[in-house]
Amino acid sequence: QVQLVESGGGLVQAGGSLRLSCAASGRTFSSYTMGWFRQAPGKEREFVAAIERSGGSTFYADSVKGRFTMSRDNGKKTVYLQMNSLKPDDPAVYYCARASGGWGVSGMGYDYWGQGTQVTVSS
């Protein structure tokens, strides 16, 4: 059984930064592409970023490109999302997820999810 546990959310001022972490259990972490998604109240869940198995390739939603950076440490079985220049549009519950295949923007392509961590941005 795979468990994903996010941490690092909180309240930050607009323009500030946060780093989210997602720690995974299981022995095959390095074999999977990982992703971050977010869901704001009243909105659909949306793709944020993904990173392939070795960490050599990353993919971002246009809305966060240039501001967010996803990385991973396979030795620690952890992925990170460094969020800079946070905007009023960024508040949401952020979820990490394990891709069942290659990376994709649809949540249907991810088979394990964390419980989420709340990010709040004050103006």
Side-chain angles (χ1 to χ4, degrees):
Q1 184 74 7
V2 174
Q3 288 190 320
L4 303 174
V5 179
E6 302 97 334
S7 60
L11 172 64
V12 64
Q13 285 190 326
S17 299
L18 280 176
R19 189 174 84 151
L20 306 183
S21 299
C22 172
S25 65
R27 292 184 286 181
T28 58
F29 175 77
S30 62
S31 299
Y32 292 92
T33 291
M34 299 293 294
W36 284 99
F37 288 75
R38 66 185 181 186
Q39 187 167 22
K43 295 186 177 181
E44 293 187 354
R45 181 177 58 195
E46 64 174 351
F47 169 80
V48 175
I51 189 167
E52 58 84 33
R53 294 173 293 177
S54 70
S57 295
T58 50
F59 313 90
Y60 298 96
D62 287 343
S63 59
V64 306
K65 200 172 293 183
R67 300 188 297 122
F68 290 12
T69 302
M70 186 174 183
S71 60
R72 69 190 295 162
D73 184 332
N74 286 338
K76 294 182 178 180
K77 300 180 185 178
T78 302
V79 293
Y80 305 96
L81 186 67
Q82 177 67 44
M83 306 186 295
N84 298 331
S85 302
L86 282 160
K87 299 179 179 180
D89 288 343
D90 293 322
V93 177
Y94 282 72
Y95 299 90
C96 73
R98 190 187 81 170
S100 54
W103 82 278
V105 301
S106 169
M108 296 296 290
Y110 296 77
D111 54 4
Y112 286 95
W113 294 79
Q115 83 290 347
T117 186
Q118 177 73 51
V119 171
T120 304
V121 179
S122 65
S123 56

